Amino acid sequence: MAILDINIYGDEVLRVKAKPVEKVTPELVQLAHDMLETMYEAPGIGLAAPQIGKSIRLIVCDVTREEDDARDPHIFFNPEISAEDGENPLLPYEEGCLSVPEIYAEVMRPGRIRVKALDINGNAIELRNVDGLLARCIQHEVDHLEGVLFVDKISAADRALNQSKLKKMSKSRKV
Ligand code: K1U
Ligand code: ZN
């Protein structure tokens, strides 16, 4: 197991559309476990491969808390999400991001989603009616795979409030 470095706002890799995983190999499963360890250590509730410098479609999430009886890690290769049909309004939630430290702001997202992905055995899986913090986290992580950060989705007012922090962060990453 290994703790990996997390890329920060301003690093180019965070803005690249990640490539699909062609085959779930033992090396990629090991990478997913290293990502989980990195996420627990940060601490965070999710992590996407571009955040540790790998532009591939792999995300991990665990929305349990350290003090809970058991952890519930999720590893998704090539995740595809869609909003569930029916009554499913956009809900507000104050998000953060390990790649955008010290900024928290409200983002609107569907409350209930469907997730299709490959599991660690390379089998196709489908989760229906995923809701709550797990749905929130998966949507945030899938955005990372598209090169999208939560700060792209915040209100103009919140953006203005955080603009100088973002500029400083970005400048500090340029060589
Ligand atoms: O993608 C990331 O950078 C991880 C991010 C995930 C996330 C947070 C909030 C809403 C949606 C997705 C984080 O984990 S930020 C840290 C965080 O939320 C947290 C940290 C410790 C305990 C509980 C939450
Ligand atoms: Zn993030």
Side-chain angles (χ1 to χ4, degrees), residues 43-47 51 93 95-99 136-137 140-141 144:
I45 57 171
L47 199 64
Q51 291 180 277
Y93 186 82
E95 298 191 11
C97 180
L98 298 174
S99 295
R136 172 67 52 169
C137 187
H140 175 115
E141 302 311 331
H144 275 299

Side-chain angles (χ1 to χ4, degrees), residues 42-60:
I45 57 171
L47 199 64
Q51 291 180 277
I52 50 92
K54 303 273 183 199
S55 196
I56 57 170
R57 301 187 83 79
L58 162 61
I59 66 169
V60 300

Side-chain angles (χ1 to χ4, degrees), residues 22-168:
E22 283 179 16
K23 187 171 189 278
V24 178
T25 61
E27 291 74 23
L28 287 178
V29 173
Q30 181 59 52
L31 177 67
H33 286 291
D34 288 345
M35 285 170 58
L36 278 170
E37 196 184 10
T38 303
M39 179 197 82
Y40 289 132
E41 207 246 3
I45 57 171
L47 199 64
Q51 291 180 277
I52 50 92
K54 303 273 183 199
S55 196
I56 57 170
R57 301 187 83 79
L58 162 61
I59 66 169
V60 300
C61 301
D62 187 341
V63 299
T64 60
R65 287 173 299 186
E66 205 176 348
E67 60 269 30
D68 289 347
D69 285 344
R71 288 297 206 175
D72 187 19
H74 296 271
I75 296 172
F76 298 121
F77 294 94
N78 299 340
E80 289 174 27
I81 55 176
S82 51
E84 285 285 9
D85 297 333
E87 175 73 11
N88 190 13
L90 297 182
L91 301 176
Y93 186 82
E94 189 160 274
E95 298 191 11
C97 180
L98 298 174
S99 295
V100 192
E102 292 171 27
I103 293 183
Y104 299 88
E106 199 170 271
V107 179
M108 304 293 289
R109 299 189 192 269
R112 252 177 334 113
I113 59 166
R114 187 174 294 196
V115 185
K116 290 181 181 179
L118 299 179
D119 68 11
I120 56 170
N121 300 310
N123 294 323
I125 53 168
E126 183 173 23
L127 306 185
R128 291 190 179 187
N129 288 307
V130 179
D131 62 6
L133 190 52
L134 183 58
R136 172 67 52 169
C137 187
I138 292 170
Q139 291 176 82
H140 175 115
E141 302 311 331
V142 170
D143 272 354
H144 275 299
L145 304 183
E146 297 298 315
V148 172
L149 299 173
F150 85 101
V151 289
D152 303 336
K153 298 189 160 184
I154 64 181
S155 70
D158 280 341
R159 209 177 160 70
L161 268 178
N162 288 294
Q163 191 137 19
S164 76
K165 274 189 186 172
L166 288 170
K167 262 196 177 152
K168 270 190 203 148

